[in-house]
Amino acid sequence: MCRLSAITSSDYFSPMENIHALETMKEGHDGSGLGLMLKDLGGPFAEFKSFPVLSAVCSNKGLRDLEEYMKAHGFKEKFTWAPSIKNVPGIERREHYIAKVYDYPESYRDKPMGEKEDLLMNTRLALRCMGEPDGSLFVFSFYPDVLTLKEVGDPLQVGEFFGLEKSDVKSKVVLAQGRQNTNYAIYLYACHPFFIQGYGTMTNGENTAFVPIREFLMGRGNPGYMGYNSDSEVFTHIMHYTNRTLGYPLPYYKDIITPMKDSEIAGRSDAPALKLLKKSLRPLCIDGPNCVIGFTPDGTVFMVQDSKKLRPGIVGGKTGKYALMSEVCGVDSAVPDRDKSTDIFPMKYDMVIIAPGAREVKVWNQLHG
Amino acid sequence: MESAARLDQNHQLSIKEFPYIIKWREDRCTRCGRCTAVCPVKAIEPAVNTQRTVTSEGSSPEPKVTRRLTHVVKQSMEIERYCIGCGSCALVCPTEAIFPEYNFQHKFYHFKNKGGIPYMRGGRRNDPSVSTLDKLKFTRISMLTDPALDAGRHEFRIRTLLGRNLPAEHLPIRVEGGKLITIPGSFVPPVREIYPIRIGSMSIGALSPHMWEGLAMGITYLNEVEGLPVVMCSGEGGLPPSILKSRYLKYFIIQIASGYFGWDEIIRALPDMIEDPCAIEIKYGQGAKPGDGGLLQAYKVLGLISKIRGVPQFIDLASPPTHQTKYSIEEAVAKMIQSMSMAWGFRVPVYPKISGTKTARAVLNNLARNPYAAALCIDGEDGGTGAAYNVSMDKMGHPIASNIRDCYLDLVKQGKQNELPLIAAGGVGKGGNLAANAAALIMLGASAVDIGKYIMQTAAGCFGDEYNRCNVCNLGKCPRGITTQDPKLYRRLDPDKVAERVVEVFKAADVELKKIFAPLGRSTELPIGMSDALGVADKDIADRLSISYVC
C-alpha cells in the first residue's frame, strides 16, 4: 500500500525530511514513484508568495509549447527554478523539470482571487491537454506558493536525483507519497499528491467506490474534475467541491466521505443539515479503506480515514512541527524528540486538523460535531 | 383401408399437439379420484375402458378372450381443457401414479385461438433461456490493498433512497458559526429510506385475499421486527380500508393507473389517514404487456374486489392503455405528479412507472427536468402479469438490463444520477438468483429493484415457469390459491405461511447481498453504478452495458 508522509511546521524545512520518513516505511511501497507537494515556500520562492508557480516535467518540445502558450496568454515569467539533476541508475531522466513563477496577465491582476484561481486551473488544464497525447508536457500544479515534483522511482533515489539534499528549496508544509503501484499504470499523472486550486491531497488504500464517485464529480460541471489516472484523485476533488464550491467548513469533508448512521447524526446539533447532505452527496461516500492526508488553500493540514482502514494513520510531533504519516516509524524519523504519549491514531469518527503554523493538533470528532 | 376423409377424429387434436402430456400409471393408481377432482382446468377425467385379455391354461395353447371394464384417468383432447402442467394431480396423488410431462414438440400456440380469440394468460414471457442478468457476475474482488469485508461480522447498511434528492447546490442550508444550518420554510422533496428490493405492484384483485394478506403481513414483520424497511406496491385496485386508515400504510406504495380503480375509497379515506403512504406510483406501462392497460377478467371480479374497486361483480375490468385525461407524458408529469403530491401535502414521493422501451430515455429526460418527479420505475420485458395476451407477453417489451443502463448513463451525463432514482423491474430473480440479479441491476445504475413473480414463486409456491406451466392467473383458477378470488381455491393458501416465507426470503436475500458487497469492499452505501465490479463472458453484452468482458 502507498506510504504517506506529511509534515507541517512553523519553520521552513527540506522535503528530504519527508523522503527519509518514507525510507523508514520502505516495505510498504515498491519504488514505483515519488510525489512531493510543497506549500508555503521558502528559499528562492519566498519573495514570490503571491505569484503562481507552474510545476512541470517536459521535453524540449513541451517546454517550447509551454512558453509559447504562456506568452500568448499574457503570463509574464518572473523566475524559473529547476532542480540540479544528478543521474541515478534506474531513473530515466527527462529533459526538463521546472517550476516557473509567473505574473498574472494584466487583465487579471486586479481580479478577485476566485477568478484568478479559475484562470490558473484552466491554464493548467489547457497545457495538460497540449502535452498529454505525446507525453511532451506534464503540469502538476499552477498556483501561488505551491511546488510539485514527481518522478518514477524509489523515493530516496528520486530525492537524490532531484538533488534535494543540497537544494535551497524549503517549505513549511510538505506532502510526500511513496507509491505502491496497484491497478494503474506507472504514469506521472497517476502519482500523488493531487492538486486543484489550492487543495492538495494524497491517499492510501484502494478506492472501491471510485467509478461512481468519478462519474458524480465529472457531472458537477467543473472542468478541473478530470484526469483520474489514479482512483485517489477523487479525494482531492471531493475536498475542493465541498469546501470551495459548496462552501462547507472543513470538517464536513469527513461527514461527506464517511457519513454516519442516522441514529448517530441525530446526536449532532447540525443534524437537520447533515441529513440533507447525506442524501444529496450520497455518491461521494468513499466506503473504502482509505486514509487521506492533505492541505487546504490556507495551509491547514488534515488527516481523515474510513472506518474500514485496518491500520490507521498516525499524527505526532511537538509545537511547531507535526508529522502526519501512514506509519509510526515515519513520525519517529520526522520528529524523533517528541512526547510519544501524545501521538494520535485517528479513529473512525476523527478528523485531525492542524492550522498553519503547526501550533497545535485538533481532533474533530464526528459524533459531536 | 378406410379413407382419411371418413376418419371421425380427423379434426381433433392429437396428444402430441398439447404442451403437457399426462403420464398415468395404471398399476399404481388406486382410482381414488383426487387428481381429477383437483385439476383446475379439467384436463383429466375419469373414464371407462374395455380391456381385452387373452389367457391360456393347460399344456397346449387354448387362448381364451375375456373382456372387462376398467377405470382409467384420461387426458382431454379439447383445446379449452388443455393440461396446463401445473402438477396439482401429482401433488395430491397418494401413490405417485400421475404427473404431467412437458412436450417440446407441442403445437399449442397454433390452436389456442378458438373462436377468433387469441391466447390470453397470466405469468411472464415464456423464455427459459439464461437471462442477461443471470449472465452478469461480480468480478472486482477486493484483494491485498483493500481487503474484502467479513459478510458475517462487518456492519452493513443496505438501504436506498426513494424520492427526489436535491443537488447539494440547491439545499436550503447555510453556514453559521462554522456549522451548517437549515434555512426554515424551504421545501425539500420527501425522500424515503427503504430496502433496495421492493415487492412490485400486484393488485388486490389480481392476487387472492390470502396471498395479499400474507405479503402485507410479511413486509410489516420485516419492518417492525427485523428492521428491514421493505415496502410493497398496491398495484391498480386500491387498498383495503383497514390498511388505508392504519399506521401500516407507510409500508405501502399506492398505485394509480389508467382505470383509477380503488381511488374513490382512497380519496374518501384521506382525512382519516394517520400515516402517509411510502409513495405514489403512477402506472403508465407494464413490462409484461407494454401498451396494454391493466386487465382483471370477470372471473375474478367478485364481492370484495367489486367493493374496493367500486364496480359491479362479474365484469371484465380493463384499464385503458393510457391515462385518458392526459394528452402526453409531459402533461402527465406536470399535472398528475403535481396533483398526487398536492393530495398528500407534498409529503409523499410521486413517481411514474413505465414499461421498458427504447424511448425510456426520452421519458427520463422529461422527468429529470421536473423537480417534483421522485423516481422512474422501468419494468422490463420479463415482468409478470395477472392477465394479458400471450403475444404481448412473449413478443413485446424491452429487456431491463440495457434499458436501465442507458437511463443511468444519461443521468450521469447530466450529473443527475443521485437526484432521480431509477427502479428496475421485470425478471428480477427469474432464475432464482434474487440477490445477484438485484445487485447486478444496482451496479448498472438502479437504486432499487421490484419483484413480483419471484415472490409468488418463493413465498407461495406459484407453479408458473417459462415453459408456460400453469399460467392461468387470468382465469381465477390458480391451483395454489395465489391469483384467484374463489374462496374454495384461496382457502388452500395459508396467509401466515406466506408471510413467514416473505420474511425468510428477504432475510436470505439480505445475507446474499452482503456476501456480494463484502468482497467488493462495500458496506456503507449501496454500490449504485459501480459498474467496474461487473463482468460478463459475452463481448456484445459487455460492450452494450459498458462493463468488462471476462473469460
Side-chain angles (χ1 to χ4, degrees):
Chain A
M1 195 176 298
C2 302
R3 292 297 186 251
L4 310 176
S5 157
I7 298 173
T8 173
S9 167
S10 53
D11 299 318
Y12 292 112
F13 62 95
S14 162
M16 276 314 290
E17 290 192 28
N18 296 69
I19 292 174
H20 287 307
L22 282 179
E23 182 64 11
T24 67
M25 308 184 237
K26 196 165 183 175
E27 68 271 30
H29 55 79
D30 62 2
S32 61
L34 169 72
L36 286 173
M37 195 167 281
L38 284 64
K39 181 167 173 62
D40 201 344
L41 304 173
F45 292 94
E47 57 179 297
F48 302 109
K49 286 266 175 197
S50 60
F51 297 102
V53 183
L54 191 146
S55 303
V57 174
C58 51
S59 64
N60 289 329
K61 174 191 172 291
L63 186 61
R64 270 197 312 276
D65 292 344
L66 165 73
E67 285 173 345
E68 268 172 35
Y69 182 92
M70 297 305 276
K71 202 173 167 190
H73 287 79
F75 285 99
K76 287 198 181 120
E77 200 176 309
K78 289 181 78 77
F79 171 68
T80 297
W81 175 85
S84 45
I85 299 294
K86 181 183 167 194
N87 285 329
V88 172
I91 298 180
E92 196 181 324
R93 181 179 178 161
R94 298 171 212 246
E95 281 163 332
H96 302 281
Y97 299 86
I98 49 159
K100 283 178 179 285
V101 180
Y102 286 95
D103 194 357
Y104 292 99
E106 220 164 289
S107 58
Y108 270 84
R109 279 185 198 148
D110 299 323
K111 293 231 165 134
M113 190 55 191
E115 284 183 45
K116 285 180 179 170
E117 285 175 327
D118 287 345
L119 170 75
L120 297 179
M121 183 184 77
N122 291 330
T123 304
R124 174 173 62 83
L125 297 178
L127 293 169
R128 176 174 175 155
C129 284
M130 277 166 47
E132 200 165 11
D134 61 359
S136 61
L137 174 61
F138 293 87
V139 183
F140 306 119
S141 57
F142 187 27
Y143 198 80
D145 220 10
V146 170
L147 169 68
T148 311
L149 282 169
K150 293 182 184 180
E151 190 46 279
V152 175
D154 173 77
L156 198 58
Q157 287 182 326
V158 175
E160 197 187 343
F161 174 75
F162 284 136
L164 293 177
E165 201 76 71
K166 292 177 188 159
S167 170
D168 53 354
V169 165
K170 290 182 167 40
S171 65
K172 290 186 181 174
V173 175
V174 175
L175 303 184
Q177 196 234 23
R179 189 147 186 266
Q180 163 86 17
N181 191 46
T182 52
N183 288 342
Y184 303 92
I186 297 179
Y187 183 55
L188 283 180
Y189 278 134
C191 193
H192 310 217
F194 299 103
F195 182 83
I196 183 168
Q197 293 188 321
Y199 298 87
T201 76
M202 56 185 178
T203 315
N204 67 7
E206 202 163 337
N207 179 2
T208 43
F210 171 54
V211 168
I213 295 175
R214 179 186 64 188
E215 285 175 345
F216 184 80
L217 287 169
M218 289 174 84
R220 296 309 95 202
N222 188 322
Y225 299 163
M226 54 82 76
Y228 304 119
N229 301 94
S230 159
D231 57 7
S232 291
E233 194 160 10
V234 298
F235 298 106
T236 322
H237 296 171
I238 297 172
M239 174 52 95
H240 175 270
Y241 177 61
T242 55
N243 195 238
R244 185 185 194 267
T245 309
L246 297 175
Y248 299 164
L250 183 63
Y252 286 95
Y253 182 63
K254 170 80 178 148
D255 285 317
I256 288 160
I257 63 171
T258 62
M260 292 191 293
K261 287 186 271 189
D262 287 354
S263 55
E264 294 167 329
I265 289 175
R268 287 264 295 265
S269 61
D270 51 358
L274 218 48
K275 279 184 190 163
L276 294 177
L277 290 196
K278 186 179 168 186
K279 289 174 182 164
S280 292
L281 296 171
R282 175 174 53 154
L284 296 181
C285 167
I286 61 173
D287 209 355
N290 303 105
C291 174
V292 187
I293 300 174
F295 61 70
T296 59
D298 72 351
T300 299
V301 178
F302 65 89
M303 176 192 279
V304 67
Q305 56 213 340
D306 186 83
S307 62
K308 286 194 274 287
K309 189 82 199 157
L310 297 179
R311 188 168 55 185
I314 170 174
V315 180
K318 55 187 185 181
T319 301
K321 189 173 191 181
Y322 285 97
L324 304 87
M325 308 268 170
S326 54
E327 318 294 317
V328 68
C329 51
V331 182
D332 290 344
S333 157
V335 197
D337 56 340
R338 71 191 191 282
D339 175 3
K340 288 186 184 181
S341 68
T342 61
D343 283 356
I344 296 160
F345 293 86
M347 291 293 131
K348 67 184 269 195
Y349 295 112
D350 296 337
M351 180 169 189
V352 175
I353 299 170
I354 306 173
R359 306 311 304 168
E360 59 172 355
V361 179
K362 264 194 199 162
V363 181
W364 179 85
N365 185 286
Q366 196 179 8
L367 281 174
H368 307 118
Chain B
M1 183 185 276
E2 202 168 25
S3 77
R6 291 203 49 211
L7 252 181
D8 290 343
Q9 291 84 5
N10 201 41
H11 292 282
Q12 288 180 7
L13 300 177
S14 86
I15 190 75
K16 292 290 277 181
E17 266 64 77
F18 285 82
Y20 285 91
I21 297 172
I22 290 291
K23 299 288 174 183
W24 175 69
R25 286 182 58 173
E26 184 181 12
D27 56 330
R28 286 192 173 178
C29 182
T30 62
R31 276 70 171 176
C32 69
R34 289 184 198 178
C35 57
T36 51
V38 80
C39 178
V41 288
K42 305 208 182 317
I44 46 174
E45 59 191 3
V48 177
N49 266 3
T50 309
Q51 207 169 50
R52 177 175 174 269
T53 318
V54 182
T55 52
S56 172
E57 288 174 4
S59 54
S60 58
E62 287 174 23
K64 268 200 289 187
V65 174
T66 52
R67 288 174 185 273
R68 65 183 181 92
L69 292 179
T70 176
H71 298 280
V72 296
V73 173
K74 193 178 158 196
Q75 182 171 359
S76 168
M77 292 293 112
E78 291 173 41
I79 192 76
E80 293 86 352
R81 290 168 56 193
Y82 72 96
C83 171
I84 57 175
C86 68
S88 298
C89 49
L91 201 64
V92 297
C93 179
T95 55
E96 294 173 15
I98 189 166
F99 67 95
E101 192 172 78
Y102 186 64
N103 171 23
F104 283 91
Q105 294 169 292
H106 76 80
K107 290 190 197 146
F108 175 66
Y109 296 139
H110 292 69
F111 301 108
K112 188 71 180 86
N113 51 12
K114 228 176 163 191
I117 300 167
Y119 177 36
M120 293 168 80
R121 63 178 177 91
R124 68 173 157 220
R125 199 164 67 100
N126 283 327
D127 177 4
S129 61
V130 179
S131 71
T132 301
L133 293 180
D134 272 339
K135 286 180 184 159
L136 303 183
K137 41 196 163 189
F138 310 100
T139 51
R140 186 198 189 284
I141 311 301
S142 295
M143 287 283 136
L144 288 174
T145 56
D146 57 334
L149 305 172
D150 183 334
R153 295 188 187 89
H154 197 88
E155 187 178 0
F156 287 81
R157 212 179 66 87
I158 301 175
R159 298 287 185 272
T160 196
L161 299 177
L162 173 61
R164 189 65 174 241
N165 282 306
L166 286 180
E169 288 82 355
H170 296 166
L171 285 177
I173 53 177
R174 63 185 159 86
V175 182
E176 201 178 283
K179 289 200 169 175
L180 292 176
I181 58 160
T182 48
I183 300 165
S186 315
F187 173 66
V188 176
V191 177
R192 308 279 195 247
E193 191 174 277
I194 60 168
Y195 197 70
I197 303 174
R198 320 184 310 174
I199 297 182
S201 47
M202 291 181 288
S203 73
I204 188 169
L207 298 182
S208 70
H210 281 194
M211 181 63 190
W212 203 88
E213 203 182 318
L215 294 179
M217 284 194 295
I219 61 149
T220 305
Y221 186 92
L222 284 165
N223 275 276
E224 306 219 333
V225 181
E226 297 291 342
L228 285 187
V230 178
V231 296
M232 71 181 262
C233 181
S234 69
E236 181 180 25
L239 284 168
S242 56
I243 297 279
L244 287 172
K245 294 174 189 171
S246 77
R247 67 183 181 85
Y248 306 112
L249 184 61
K250 60 188 170 191
Y251 307 139
F252 293 87
I253 294 165
I254 313 179
Q255 190 184 75
I256 183 163
S258 55
Y260 306 113
F261 292 119
W263 275 79
D264 278 354
E265 285 289 331
I266 293 167
I267 298 298
R268 265 190 226 115
L270 257 175
D272 300 317
M273 287 181 188
I274 54 170
E275 281 281 355
D276 288 331
C278 170
I280 305 296
E281 181 175 281
I282 307 169
K283 179 191 164 189
Y284 289 98
Q286 187 175 346
K289 44 178 171 179
D292 254 355
L295 176 62
L296 191 67
Q297 292 194 268
Y299 318 102
K300 293 167 79 169
V301 186
L302 304 180
L304 176 69
I305 304 310
S306 72
K307 261 188 213 156
I308 295 177
R309 297 198 176 196
V311 293
Q313 294 192 76
F314 310 115
I315 54 159
D316 278 346
L317 298 183
S319 302
T322 60
H323 290 255
Q324 297 294 297
T325 51
K326 307 296 171 201
Y327 170 68
S328 65
I329 181 86
E330 291 82 0
E331 199 182 332
V333 165
K335 288 186 178 168
M336 200 125 176
I337 293 179
Q338 203 85 348
S339 47
M340 285 292 117
S341 299
M342 279 171 71
W344 274 274
F346 290 87
R347 299 185 309 272
V348 177
V350 181
Y351 67 90
K353 171 187 164 183
I354 60 168
S355 63
T357 162
K358 272 188 180 173
T359 60
R361 289 158 70 188
V363 177
L364 176 77
N365 288 328
N366 197 290
L367 293 176
R369 289 195 298 273
N370 182 325
Y372 296 102
L376 174 63
C377 178
I378 305 177
D379 190 13
E381 63 171 353
D382 280 325
T385 178
Y389 286 96
N390 181 65
V391 69
S392 300
M393 261 188 268
D394 274 3
K395 302 296 175 196
M396 301 287 297
H398 195 294
I400 189 61
S402 62
N403 225 186
I404 214 80
R405 187 73 178 139
D406 288 349
C407 286
Y408 178 75
L409 291 177
D410 249 25
L411 287 174
V412 166
K413 267 187 218 152
Q414 299 175 52
K416 291 188 172 182
Q417 66 268 45
N418 188 52
E419 292 173 37
L420 194 72
L422 296 170
I423 299 150
V428 182
K430 186 177 175 179
N433 306 306
L434 173 61
N437 289 177
L441 281 164
I442 286 166
M443 287 171 209
L444 289 175
S447 282
V449 302
D450 277 358
I451 52 168
K453 186 81 175 158
Y454 176 86
I455 200 71
M456 292 203 284
Q457 290 172 322
T458 50
C462 162
F463 291 133
D465 69 9
E466 285 67 51
Y467 290 97
N468 204 25
R469 183 177 172 199
C470 202
N471 286 349
V472 285
C473 332
N474 57 325
L475 301 178
K477 291 180 175 177
C478 174
R480 284 292 207 199
I482 302 167
T483 58
T484 175
Q485 301 304 323
D486 182 347
K488 286 202 291 283
L489 292 175
Y490 70 66
R491 270 202 297 264
R492 294 175 184 172
L493 192 66
D494 182 345
D496 287 332
K497 286 212 165 78
V498 173
E500 221 175 289
R501 283 292 295 148
V502 168
V503 173
E504 287 174 355
V505 164
F506 274 93
K507 283 177 73 177
D510 195 53
V511 172
E512 285 197 332
L513 283 178
K514 287 175 188 170
K515 294 301 282 183
I516 295 168
F517 296 157
L520 307 181
R522 297 296 302 266
S523 63
T524 311
E525 279 295 344
L526 209 59
I528 299 168
M530 190 178 164
S531 54
D532 57 326
L534 290 173
V536 63
D538 180 317
K539 186 78 173 72
D540 293 334
I541 293 178
D543 290 347
R544 183 67 184 82
L545 299 179
S546 306
I547 59 173
S548 303
Y549 166 63
V550 292
C551 59

